[in-house]
Amino acid sequence: MNDDTIVKLPSTKRRLLDERTMLRWQQDRKSVAIRVDRIFAVLLIFEWVIAVKLAVIVSPLVWAHMPHSTPTPVWAAVVLGGLFCCVPCVLVAMDPGRVINRHVIAVCQMLMSGLWIHLTGGRIETHFHVFGSLAFLSLYRDWKVLVPATLTTVADHFLRSLFWPQSIFGVVDPTSWRWLEHASWVLFEDSVLVVACMQAQREMQQTARRWACLTVLYDQIDAEVRRQTQELQISQEMLCANEQQMRQIIDAACDPFIAVDAEGRITDWSRRAETLFGWTKTDSIGEEIVGLLQIPRLKQTMQSWAVPHSHHADNSVRFDAMARKRDGSPLPVEVSMTRLNCLEHATFCIFVRDISERQRLLLQLSHAQKMESIGQLAAGIAHEINTPTQFAGDNLAFLRDAFRDLEGVFSCATAARKQADETSYDATLYSTLLKASEDSDLDYLREEIPKAIEQSLDGIQRISAITRSMKEFSHPGNISMTSMDVRKAIENTLTVSRNEWKYVADIVTDFDPALTSIECLPGEFNQVLLNIIVNAGQAIGEMPDRGPSGKRQITISTYRDEDWAEISIADNGPGIPEHIRQRIFDPFFTTKEVGKGTGQGLAIAHAVIVEKHHGTIHVRSEVGCGTTFVLRVPIHQQTLNHDELEDDYATCDVRGR
């Protein structure tokens, strides 16, 4: 934390920083003082012992050669040394670190130096003890300690140079200014030590300042950590609460929930899933989803989805599939699968809905819609049946009358045969037979009766064909894919819908011999053909101008394109206006008058072809030229490419020529 940063701090922070700096500096000074006090306590004791030894060993030798010697070194070492040592030690023991302690220690230390000089007879070597003592006193890092020490030394030198020069200089008559020389050297060392002490104090202050800055910074970091920790705890609590709420929502959802990783292994399993499939969560975790949902290449598709920056624009898909329950029974389901991008590893959320009841209802609805279509065509079908029935009835009435006319001829012929058997001849009987033959007009009957029989048989065949087509068309069909003859299905549809187009259009068919049958839902596929053919006939019927013959043309063709079957239903009717082409597959959208259309025909066709048969339905139209519907479905449903599940739900292509 530099000075600029400190200046930018609030005033309260700066005051706190100054207070902590002063407190730390005082603590450091106190710590240094206590430590140095204890050092000097030990040092003084050691110096006292040395002083006694000097008094015993060195002093007798030194003072013995000096005149006016006084035999008191031992007592001086013991008494004075003990005084100089005990007073500081008592103060240090009572309260170390006090200011008075260091000044007393300074005085006693310098007096101990004077005692050493006295015991050695003023030898110059022991004068260095003074300089060493000053250096040791500078350990307090307080230049004020040097003041009493210096005064004590100068006073000792001055007084003893006047009254006892032998004890300080080792000579009886030294020069008068010699004490001043010694004092000068002491002052010189003091000048150096004062600078050092002041520098040490500045360093201590800087250290205290840095420590205070660190504590303030630590407090800020600690406050921020506490705040973030508190926020994290709140976030964790909210996350746990949200997780519990999400788990409750998932468990309470009507549809079972399954979470799957990129490898296709189940990572989560809701209670609804346990109820629907029979497996518990413990049994299901870690199992592969392909063992539950019977979808070709589902695992490969999920792995391709899990690749980062994949080409899939949509992260969700919905499709129907067949699932397997724990008891092995199949279960039709609707699967909604979504890929989550917010996680590090790809996760797929799958909701499964039981659609067995819906499929049953849809099957009933499909059959009902088919019967509704047949009901709408009932008048035309009745007319188609009535015409052959009528001329068959007329021919039978003709045959009845003809038989009555021939009855007289048969009677005369029978009587003539009996006469021929009796070998008798009756001219009257011959004339009667001849007259009966002329009255019955045998030549006419011989010519017309075969025609009447042929016409009656043709009418019966037509009625039989209509009823057979009706029976096949109205059959509920299977809920699974079965093989169906495409040509026969188209012919049956044309037969059922004949009355809708025979007065306004001619039918032209072009069947590809290579295309015989496809796998489909026959009942629903027939419904698609019927809806499109009826729409074409009705569109042509609404045209005011249909040409000289009063009829136009509907062309139905089939074509095999490798594994795909293509069925084209084209008409040269009015066409579809461009502004409504994108809406023709919308449910309940119709351009017909109220009561003539429900708007469900093409919506059903789109659902059946695209969703149930995994195919496509295209429409090309031009106003005034006609419309062409092209249906493309796989010949074999198992050959469908499942690399992209969303391709199963391709949208219709609506465009002009």
Side-chain angles (χ1 to χ4, degrees):
M1 187 177 291
N2 53 31
D3 294 338
D4 294 336
T5 305
I6 295 174
V7 171
K8 294 179 182 179
L9 290 175
S11 58
T12 54
K13 292 286 186 181
R14 290 199 298 272
R15 285 197 300 271
L16 178 63
L17 185 63
D18 294 339
E19 292 174 357
R20 290 187 177 181
T21 301
M22 181 59 66
L23 177 63
R24 181 66 181 186
W25 183 55
Q26 292 176 352
Q27 290 176 349
D28 289 344
R29 291 184 63 185
K30 183 74 171 179
S31 176
V32 170
I34 293 173
R35 184 172 64 253
V36 177
D37 281 354
R38 290 170 178 171
I39 291 174
F40 270 104
V42 175
L43 180 62
L44 287 170
I45 294 174
F46 176 74
E47 288 175 337
W48 181 27
V49 173
I50 296 300
V52 173
K53 290 183 178 181
L54 289 175
V56 174
I57 300 173
V58 177
S59 293
L61 298 177
V62 173
W63 285 96
H65 302 285
M66 288 186 179
H68 308 290
S69 60
T70 303
T72 59
V74 175
W75 289 104
V78 173
V79 176
L80 294 178
L83 179 64
F84 300 155
C85 176
C86 292
V87 173
C89 289
V90 171
L91 293 176
V92 171
M94 292 175 60
D95 189 7
R98 287 193 305 173
V99 177
I100 189 63
N101 292 359
R102 70 192 71 164
H103 292 287
V104 172
I105 289 174
V107 172
C108 293
Q109 178 64 29
M110 303 314 295
L111 292 175
M112 185 67 75
S113 296
L115 179 61
W116 276 32
I117 294 172
H118 170 74
L119 295 175
T120 57
R123 294 182 63 84
I124 192 64
E125 291 85 354
T126 54
H127 281 268
F128 285 102
H129 189 273
V130 174
F131 300 106
S133 298
L134 291 174
F136 272 96
L137 289 173
S138 67
L139 293 176
Y140 282 108
R141 303 180 187 181
D142 183 6
W143 63 270
K144 296 178 183 180
V145 177
L146 300 176
V147 174
T150 302
L151 293 176
T152 301
T153 300
V154 171
D156 178 58
H157 279 62
F158 175 71
L159 292 175
R160 282 200 286 172
S161 67
L162 292 177
F163 302 106
W164 205 350
Q166 298 95 327
S167 67
I168 189 67
F169 300 121
V171 293
V172 177
D173 188 17
T175 58
S176 60
W177 49 265
R178 190 168 183 178
W179 69 271
L180 189 61
E181 178 186 359
H182 283 250
S184 299
W185 284 111
V186 171
L187 292 175
F188 174 76
E189 184 181 4
D190 284 343
S191 64
V192 175
L193 294 178
V194 167
V195 173
C197 289
M198 295 178 65
Q199 180 65 30
Q201 285 190 359
R202 283 195 296 269
E203 291 178 356
M204 290 177 63
Q205 290 177 348
Q206 292 175 357
T207 302
R209 190 69 168 182
R210 287 194 294 269
W211 176 87
C213 292
L214 289 176
T215 58
V216 172
L217 183 60
Y218 171 80
D219 290 343
Q220 293 178 349
I221 295 175
D222 183 65
E224 181 66 20
V225 169
R226 290 177 181 274
R227 185 185 64 80
Q228 293 186 1
T229 302
Q230 186 177 7
E231 292 180 355
L232 181 60
Q233 290 176 350
I234 295 174
S235 299
Q236 288 179 342
E237 292 175 357
M238 293 178 61
L239 182 61
C240 293
N242 291 336
E243 184 177 359
Q244 293 178 357
Q245 183 180 14
M246 185 60 65
R247 170 54 57 185
Q248 292 175 356
I249 292 174
I250 290 175
D251 289 338
C254 297
D255 298 331
F257 170 79
I258 305 171
V260 182
D261 60 16
E263 299 298 325
R265 297 189 177 276
I266 298 173
T267 58
D268 198 359
W269 187 264
S270 68
R271 294 179 182 176
R272 296 284 183 179
E274 294 180 355
T275 304
L276 180 62
F277 296 106
W279 282 289
T280 63
K281 184 175 182 179
T282 305
D283 297 335
S284 304
I285 297 299
E287 298 295 328
E288 293 190 352
I289 190 65
V290 294
L292 179 69
L293 300 178
Q294 301 173 5
I295 304 174
R297 304 190 67 181
L298 174 62
K299 185 175 181 180
Q300 293 86 335
T301 301
M302 296 174 67
Q303 290 176 346
S304 68
W305 269 26
V307 177
H309 310 295
S310 61
H311 65 279
H312 300 279
D314 193 0
N315 290 334
S316 61
V317 66
R318 178 176 295 178
F319 53 89
D320 293 346
M322 190 64 67
R324 180 177 62 87
K325 301 177 72 173
R326 184 167 189 172
D327 58 6
S329 60
L331 177 68
V333 294
E334 179 187 71
V335 180
S336 298
M337 184 169 66
T338 302
R339 179 186 61 183
L340 299 182
N341 294 327
C342 59
L343 302 179
E344 181 179 357
H345 302 287
T347 300
F348 297 90
C349 296
I350 299 176
F351 283 92
V352 181
R353 177 172 296 177
D354 182 3
I355 60 172
S356 55
E357 180 65 18
R358 187 176 73 181
Q359 282 195 348
R360 186 184 66 81
L361 294 176
L362 286 176
L363 183 61
Q364 294 179 356
L365 178 61
S366 176
H367 184 60
Q369 290 172 343
K370 186 187 301 182
M371 297 308 296
E372 179 184 359
S373 300
I374 295 175
Q376 293 175 352
L377 301 174
I381 295 173
H383 179 72
E384 292 297 318
I385 295 176
N386 182 64
T387 301
T389 301
Q390 185 175 357
F391 68 71
D394 293 342
N395 287 330
L396 290 176
F398 168 74
L399 292 175
R400 181 192 62 194
D401 295 339
F403 184 77
R404 289 174 182 174
D405 294 339
L406 291 174
E407 188 175 359
V409 178
F410 292 156
S411 299
C412 294
T414 302
R417 180 179 178 181
K418 289 181 180 180
Q419 287 184 358
D421 291 339
E422 296 173 356
T423 64
S424 61
Y425 175 76
D426 187 356
T428 303
L429 181 60
Y430 176 75
S431 61
T432 302
L433 177 60
L434 185 60
K435 185 178 184 303
S437 299
E438 293 175 354
D439 293 340
S440 61
D441 196 359
L442 291 178
D443 294 335
Y444 172 76
L445 294 178
R446 186 181 297 113
E447 180 181 355
E448 293 298 329
I449 287 176
K451 293 181 180 180
I453 294 173
E454 290 297 328
Q455 290 177 357
S456 299
L457 291 174
D458 180 64
I460 293 173
Q461 289 177 355
R462 290 176 62 181
I463 294 172
S464 176
I466 293 173
T467 55
R468 184 171 58 252
S469 298
M470 286 287 294
K471 179 180 178 181
E472 294 179 358
F473 187 85
S474 61
H475 193 276
N478 298 322
I479 62 174
S480 59
M481 298 289 178
T482 57
S483 180
M484 183 192 73
D485 189 330
V486 178
R487 178 170 182 171
K488 186 176 180 181
I490 295 175
E491 290 175 346
N492 288 337
T493 305
L494 290 174
T495 300
V496 171
S497 62
R498 177 180 175 81
N499 196 64
E500 295 291 328
W501 52 262
K502 72 175 183 177
Y503 298 110
V504 296
D506 293 324
I507 296 294
V508 178
T509 58
D510 180 16
F511 298 118
D512 186 353
L515 180 61
T516 56
S517 62
I518 62 173
E519 289 185 358
C520 65
L521 302 173
E524 299 189 17
F525 199 87
N526 287 337
Q527 182 70 36
V528 173
L529 298 176
L530 177 65
N531 291 343
I532 297 177
I533 292 173
V534 169
N535 282 349
Q538 292 176 350
I540 294 174
E542 294 175 357
M543 295 181 66
D545 182 14
R546 293 194 291 270
S549 64
K551 288 187 177 183
R552 294 232 171 178
Q553 182 173 294
I554 299 175
T555 303
I556 303 175
S557 60
T558 62
Y559 174 70
R560 177 165 185 166
D561 182 11
E562 296 182 353
D563 292 331
W564 290 80
E566 183 176 298
I567 301 173
S568 173
I569 303 175
D571 66 72
N572 55 358
I576 303 174
E578 185 175 357
H579 68 279
I580 65 172
R581 290 178 194 169
Q582 300 294 336
R583 300 183 58 195
I584 61 174
F585 294 106
D586 293 346
F588 305 107
F589 175 77
T590 181
T591 58
K592 299 177 183 178
E593 298 178 2
V594 178
K596 292 188 176 181
T598 62
Q600 289 287 78
L602 291 180
I604 293 174
H606 179 270
V608 170
I609 296 300
V610 176
E611 297 181 9
K612 295 186 178 181
H613 290 83
H614 310 100
T616 60
I617 178 169
H618 303 263
V619 57
R620 298 188 297 268
S621 182
E622 185 174 349
V623 177
C625 295
T627 302
T628 301
F629 284 88
V630 180
L631 313 179
R632 281 178 57 87
V633 295
I635 295 177
H636 304 288
Q637 289 295 322
Q638 63 268 24
T639 63
L640 178 65
N641 185 2
H642 285 273
D643 288 340
E644 306 295 343
L645 290 179
E646 64 269 21
D647 290 347
D648 296 352
Y649 302 92
T651 57
C652 63
D653 179 16
V654 183
R655 60 180 183 271
R657 288 179 182 172

